[in-house]
Amino acid sequence: MTEPLLKVQGLKKYFPIRSGIFGQITGQVKAVDDVSFYVNEGETLGIVGESGCGKSTTGRMLMRLLEPTEGAIEFQGQNLAKLSPFEMRKARRDIQMVFQDPYASLNPRHSIGQILEEPLIVHGIGDAKERKKRVRALLEIVGLSDNHAKRYPHQFSGGQRQRIGIARALMTNPKLIIADEPVSALDVSIQAQVLNLMQDLQKELKLTYIFIAHDLGVVRHISDRVGVMYLGKIVELSESEDLYANPLHPYTKGLLSAVPVPDPDFRRQQIIIEGDVPSPSSPPKGCTFHTRCPFKMDICTKSVPQLTEAQHGHSVACHLYNEQANDK
Ligand code: SF4
């Protein structure tokens, strides 16, 4: 079996909480707390969860836009977490990011041609003529035209701007794209077009995606496997089909209850998750979901459930599926 393209091991991001006039550290926010996963070449791993669950922080750490507190990020045989800023800049040629708000991430004073050319200049790829040729090619690939290169970001619709964001990410011919809520800011009708484009590009260019979203419905169509995050941890990880047909973690069941199912024969048992996500600066002891879980048991307040394989290729962090923990 071939090695995964990306392997993340024990990734953590703790932000210090400072207070007092001297700014002493009085606590820490565990935004990402011991997350491990892998992504195979050519597949899409979806990462879902409510806002503040650590999914975007995870994505940004993979690009080293945020420094990890701990953990390894193995990509093509090197640990990105240990690379110098210079080496990391080189590695970013192969890993690119698509952001949620394309307008905020596109410089309003630069033409689309300049915006698309920039990654090539940064990485020293091609001369002026070759760069222009690549800009034209990428505009066409994402469904825009050569004429658009002279225009500015404000002259485009939200969907077109996201196409530009995707084109920019593709300029350096990367292997891995981290897409952080790439369709959340778009109208539902446009969402489908952008998702279809991403799927077509994946097939054509043999891309690998990490697709981050808060909406399980959106992630479903594009992902081969899905990881569900809650308060900085992955609580369930499985093949996409299996996760939707047979969710195991009570939190995933609750999230799926909120996704409309048109066919009444396939409607699931409704699980309503009450209350708000607790603060990551003082997460509940034991299972961090116990304050909202309708299946809470005694052990849940004392012992942290580990992510373990409950069924073939389907892992879950919940004591309901962990007999050993229940025996303790
Ligand atoms: Fe609910 Fe306990 Fe499972 Fe946590 S470990 S999800 S509290 S049953």
Side-chain angles (χ1 to χ4, degrees):
M1 203 174 143
T2 50
E3 276 289 295
L5 180 68
L6 177 82
K7 219 155 97 186
V8 172
Q9 206 62 46
L11 195 63
K12 294 182 185 173
K13 181 67 190 177
Y14 295 174
F15 293 101
I17 304 171
R18 295 176 191 274
S19 55
I21 49 169
F22 298 112
Q24 298 102 318
I25 296 175
T26 53
Q28 48 195 358
V29 175
K30 296 181 174 180
V32 175
D33 194 14
D34 202 2
V35 159
S36 301
F37 59 84
Y38 64 87
V39 195
N40 290 320
E41 200 162 350
E43 80 168 344
T44 300
L45 175 73
I47 301 183
V48 269
E50 288 164 285
S51 100
C53 71
K55 55 191 191 304
S56 293
T57 306
T58 302
R60 276 157 203 266
M61 278 195 284
L62 301 182
M63 287 283 287
R64 289 269 303 274
L65 299 176
L66 275 174
E67 288 302 320
T69 306
E70 220 179 290
I73 305 163
E74 259 178 58
F75 178 72
Q76 303 191 118
Q78 48 182 0
N79 182 1
L80 300 184
K82 295 263 185 278
L83 296 187
S84 68
F86 175 72
E87 290 167 325
M88 190 58 216
R89 226 172 297 141
K90 277 208 305 204
R92 282 203 193 102
R93 186 173 163 160
D94 286 330
I95 314 173
Q96 290 286 325
M97 199 150 182
V98 173
F99 297 92
Q100 173 178 0
D101 182 354
Y103 197 49
S105 68
L106 302 176
N107 188 332
R109 283 186 296 274
H110 286 181
S111 69
I112 300 309
Q114 288 172 309
I115 288 171
L116 294 183
E117 227 186 308
E118 198 196 339
L120 300 182
I121 296 170
V122 167
H123 290 283
I125 303 170
D127 57 25
K129 205 170 148 201
E130 287 162 341
R131 291 198 299 265
K132 295 265 178 312
K133 197 170 155 204
R134 179 115 184 111
V135 167
R136 276 201 299 276
L138 260 299
L139 280 171
E140 202 172 302
I141 284 177
V142 299
L144 296 170
S145 81
D146 197 9
N147 298 334
H148 290 122
K150 293 190 197 75
R151 299 198 198 157
Y152 288 80
H154 72 271
Q155 296 175 292
F156 292 89
S157 67
Q160 285 175 320
R161 283 201 284 260
Q162 196 52 295
R163 284 172 191 268
I164 295 162
I166 293 168
R168 181 180 53 182
L170 293 174
M171 286 305 287
T172 58
N173 205 8
K175 295 196 166 67
L176 175 66
I177 301 268
I178 300 164
D180 188 4
E181 303 260 14
V183 297
S184 308
L186 305 175
D187 289 347
V188 178
S189 57
I190 310 294
Q191 283 186 358
Q193 292 175 12
V194 173
L195 288 173
N196 288 341
L197 170 69
M198 287 185 69
Q199 275 177 315
D200 292 346
L201 291 172
Q202 180 168 41
K203 271 188 231 135
E204 223 170 287
L205 306 173
K206 299 192 173 42
L207 295 166
T208 305
Y209 288 149
I210 293 182
F211 193 100
I212 297 168
H214 65 275
D215 183 343
L216 267 168
V218 167
V219 167
R220 174 179 198 161
H221 296 292
I222 195 153
S223 304
D224 299 295
R225 288 182 302 124
V226 175
V228 179
M229 283 189 78
Y230 185 78
L231 269 183
K233 289 181 186 293
I234 293 182
V235 295
E236 186 160 4
L237 184 62
S238 142
E239 302 252 321
S240 178
E241 297 256 313
D242 196 24
L243 187 93
Y244 288 86
N246 177 30
L248 299 180
H249 198 282
Y251 177 60
T252 315
K253 290 182 183 181
L255 285 181
L256 279 171
S257 293
V259 177
V261 180
D263 188 340
D265 290 344
F266 287 95
R267 291 220 172 117
R268 311 177 182 89
Q269 177 200 6
Q270 295 285 303
I271 295 192
I272 310 295
I273 304 171
E274 294 189 339
D276 295 321
V277 183
S279 164
S281 61
S282 55
K285 290 214 160 46
C287 170
T288 52
F289 188 59
H290 83 250
T291 50
R292 304 171 78 194
C293 181
F295 306 102
K296 181 178 97 177
M297 303 172 286
D298 270 355
I299 188 173
C300 304
T301 58
K302 297 176 198 130
S303 157
V304 180
Q306 300 302 320
L307 188 69
T308 38
E309 196 169 45
Q311 293 165 8
H312 180 67
H314 193 151
S315 300
V316 63
C318 172
H319 292 310
L320 288 170
Y321 306 94
N322 189 342
E323 281 163 25
Q324 279 172 342
N326 289 332
D327 292 343
K328 269 185 203 164

